[in-house]
Amino acid sequence: MLEYLKINSSKLKITLTADECDRYGIKERDGEFDSASVREVISDILDEAGVGGSFSRCGEKLLVQLYPLKDGGAELFITRLSGVGEREQKAITKASNINTYSKDVAYFLFDTLDALSNALSLFVKKKKRADVYLAESDKYILSIDEERLGALSDCDIISEFSHRLSPSEAPRPEYDTLLTKGDAIELFSALKA
């Protein structure tokens, strides 16, 4: 298990060894890290460090700072932006050279079952929670955990198969029928033709 240091209620420091960086696929080139590869593993790193209960991150924007160490490892600083002042939040989120991380739920509307299963087949190897609803319109609504690093979302590719819904268009139990809870990727990706 990774060890972390809780600096305060809004900031953590996780030190990764060279072996841990290799295991997570975090590679430094010219003092920079590939933000897409970091986005893919940040949630796993936080889970392995066991920070869940003491450092809530769902629905939060997080500032992610990753610094290489001479031995091939890295120091990872994670700051909840809700814990910093409004002026600092605006400066951080508008800066082009700073990445923020957030985890939330995204919603997508699919016209066909084929489109849904094709989209979900892209996530088979990822540990994601996803629900599927049958809408009143006989279309399918996908509710899926979404992670963002800066402006990049790990769910953006789903838009090639569907239409992104706003949170106000989330499934409503009185109108939409829940087909599966939590394991939609496993179930629906198996239907891919």
Side-chain angles (χ1 to χ4, degrees):
M1 182 189 268
L2 296 173
E3 291 189 25
Y4 70 93
L5 171 64
K6 188 173 179 181
I7 296 170
N8 60 37
S9 62
S10 298
K11 191 167 191 166
L12 291 176
K13 174 186 169 187
I14 300 173
T15 303
L16 300 165
T17 65
D19 289 341
E20 290 164 341
C21 286
D22 285 343
R23 187 176 70 204
Y24 284 112
I26 297 173
K27 305 229 182 307
E28 177 257 333
R29 286 196 181 116
D30 299 326
E32 298 291 325
F33 292 95
D34 175 30
S35 60
S37 63
V38 173
R39 179 192 68 224
E40 290 177 7
V41 298
I42 193 76
S43 189
D44 293 338
I45 290 171
L46 290 170
D47 289 344
E48 186 178 334
V51 299
S54 63
F55 195 81
S56 174
R57 61 191 185 271
C58 194
E60 289 269 358
K61 272 197 172 185
L62 303 176
L63 172 63
V64 177
Q65 298 167 291
L66 191 59
Y67 301 103
L69 296 172
K70 289 180 183 179
D71 65 0
E75 286 185 329
L76 176 65
F77 291 89
I78 301 170
T79 306
R80 267 198 322 246
L81 292 183
S82 63
V84 298
E86 187 176 333
R87 186 182 318 171
E88 290 89 351
Q89 277 186 34
K90 286 181 182 177
I92 289 168
T93 55
K94 289 183 180 180
S96 62
N97 61 343
I98 293 179
N99 284 319
T100 56
Y101 169 85
S102 61
K103 185 174 181 179
D104 214 339
V105 177
Y107 304 98
F108 296 90
L109 182 66
F110 291 84
D111 291 333
T112 67
L113 184 59
D114 282 342
L116 173 66
S117 62
N118 285 330
L120 290 178
S121 70
L122 300 172
F123 292 90
V124 169
K125 294 184 180 178
K126 301 191 187 270
K127 295 179 251 171
K128 279 195 162 301
R129 187 180 185 293
D131 307 331
V132 172
Y133 295 80
L134 180 62
E136 272 189 311
S137 62
D138 286 334
K139 294 183 180 184
Y140 298 90
I141 299 173
L142 172 67
S143 167
I144 188 167
D145 287 347
E146 176 180 45
E147 296 179 66
R148 288 186 171 274
L149 189 60
L152 300 174
S153 164
D154 64 342
C155 292
D156 283 342
I157 195 160
I158 297 174
S159 295
E160 292 183 21
F161 302 89
S162 65
H163 170 74
R164 185 183 277 267
L165 300 174
S166 69
S168 65
E169 298 172 291
R172 297 170 297 172
E174 62 271 18
Y175 300 110
D176 306 310
T177 306
L178 178 65
L179 298 179
T180 187
K181 188 163 185 69
D183 59 355
I185 293 171
E186 214 174 277
L187 293 175
F188 285 85
S189 65
L191 300 176
K192 185 177 182 240

PDB file of all heavy atoms in Angstrom, residues 16-18 69-74:
ATOM      1  N   LEU A  16       6.007   8.343  -4.628  1.00  0.00           N
ATOM      2  CA  LEU A  16       6.034   7.113  -5.392  1.00  0.00           C
ATOM      3  C   LEU A  16       7.484   6.715  -5.654  1.00  0.00           C
ATOM      4  O   LEU A  16       8.286   7.561  -6.054  1.00  0.00           O
ATOM      5  CB  LEU A  16       5.326   7.306  -6.736  1.00  0.00           C
ATOM      6  CG  LEU A  16       3.853   7.723  -6.675  1.00  0.00           C
ATOM      7  CD1 LEU A  16       3.395   8.234  -8.016  1.00  0.00           C
ATOM      8  CD2 LEU A  16       3.008   6.565  -6.231  1.00  0.00           C
ATOM      9  N   THR A  17       7.814   5.462  -5.445  1.00  0.00           N
ATOM     10  CA  THR A  17       9.155   4.971  -5.766  1.00  0.00           C
ATOM     11  C   THR A  17       9.250   4.794  -7.283  1.00  0.00           C
ATOM     12  O   THR A  17       8.234   4.830  -7.992  1.00  0.00           O
ATOM     13  CB  THR A  17       9.419   3.620  -5.082  1.00  0.00           C
ATOM     14  OG1 THR A  17       8.509   2.647  -5.638  1.00  0.00           O
ATOM     15  CG2 THR A  17       9.246   3.703  -3.575  1.00  0.00           C
ATOM     16  N   ALA A  18      10.445   4.548  -7.780  1.00  0.00           N
ATOM     17  CA  ALA A  18      10.642   4.299  -9.210  1.00  0.00           C
ATOM     18  C   ALA A  18       9.840   3.077  -9.653  1.00  0.00           C
ATOM     19  O   ALA A  18       9.220   3.080 -10.724  1.00  0.00           O
ATOM     20  CB  ALA A  18      12.121   4.116  -9.517  1.00  0.00           C
ATOM     21  N   LEU A  69      11.569  12.763  -8.981  1.00  0.00           N
ATOM     22  CA  LEU A  69      12.653  12.653  -8.005  1.00  0.00           C
ATOM     23  C   LEU A  69      13.883  12.094  -8.720  1.00  0.00           C
ATOM     24  O   LEU A  69      13.765  11.401  -9.729  1.00  0.00           O
ATOM     25  CB  LEU A  69      12.242  11.733  -6.852  1.00  0.00           C
ATOM     26  CG  LEU A  69      11.065  12.214  -6.004  1.00  0.00           C
ATOM     27  CD1 LEU A  69      10.648  11.127  -5.020  1.00  0.00           C
ATOM     28  CD2 LEU A  69      11.411  13.495  -5.276  1.00  0.00           C
ATOM     29  N   LYS A  70      15.041  12.369  -8.199  1.00  0.00           N
ATOM     30  CA  LYS A  70      16.297  11.945  -8.832  1.00  0.00           C
ATOM     31  C   LYS A  70      16.411  10.432  -8.966  1.00  0.00           C
ATOM     32  O   LYS A  70      17.037   9.923  -9.879  1.00  0.00           O
ATOM     33  CB  LYS A  70      17.496  12.487  -8.059  1.00  0.00           C
ATOM     34  CG  LYS A  70      17.661  13.978  -8.213  1.00  0.00           C
ATOM     35  CD  LYS A  70      18.853  14.464  -7.445  1.00  0.00           C
ATOM     36  CE  LYS A  70      18.935  15.980  -7.566  1.00  0.00           C
ATOM     37  NZ  LYS A  70      20.055  16.533  -6.820  1.00  0.00           N
ATOM     38  N   ASP A  71      15.779   9.685  -8.051  1.00  0.00           N
ATOM     39  CA  ASP A  71      15.897   8.229  -8.077  1.00  0.00           C
ATOM     40  C   ASP A  71      14.910   7.558  -9.034  1.00  0.00           C
ATOM     41  O   ASP A  71      14.781   6.342  -9.058  1.00  0.00           O
ATOM     42  CB  ASP A  71      15.724   7.664  -6.667  1.00  0.00           C
ATOM     43  CG  ASP A  71      14.331   7.900  -6.100  1.00  0.00           C
ATOM     44  OD1 ASP A  71      13.478   8.510  -6.781  1.00  0.00           O
ATOM     45  OD2 ASP A  71      14.092   7.462  -4.959  1.00  0.00           O
ATOM     46  N   GLY A  72      14.160   8.353  -9.828  1.00  0.00           N
ATOM     47  CA  GLY A  72      13.191   7.796 -10.764  1.00  0.00           C
ATOM     48  C   GLY A  72      11.780   7.754 -10.216  1.00  0.00           C
ATOM     49  O   GLY A  72      10.841   7.431 -10.933  1.00  0.00           O
ATOM     50  N   GLY A  73      11.628   8.094  -8.952  1.00  0.00           N
ATOM     51  CA  GLY A  73      10.299   8.152  -8.351  1.00  0.00           C
ATOM     52  C   GLY A  73       9.660   9.510  -8.613  1.00  0.00           C
ATOM     53  O   GLY A  73      10.115  10.277  -9.469  1.00  0.00           O
ATOM     54  N   ALA A  74       8.618   9.809  -7.860  1.00  0.00           N
ATOM     55  CA  ALA A  74       7.920  11.084  -8.034  1.00  0.00           C
ATOM     56  C   ALA A  74       7.199  11.463  -6.750  1.00  0.00           C
ATOM     57  O   ALA A  74       6.823  10.592  -5.955  1.00  0.00           O
ATOM     58  CB  ALA A  74       6.920  10.989  -9.173  1.00  0.00           C
TER      59      ALA A  74
END
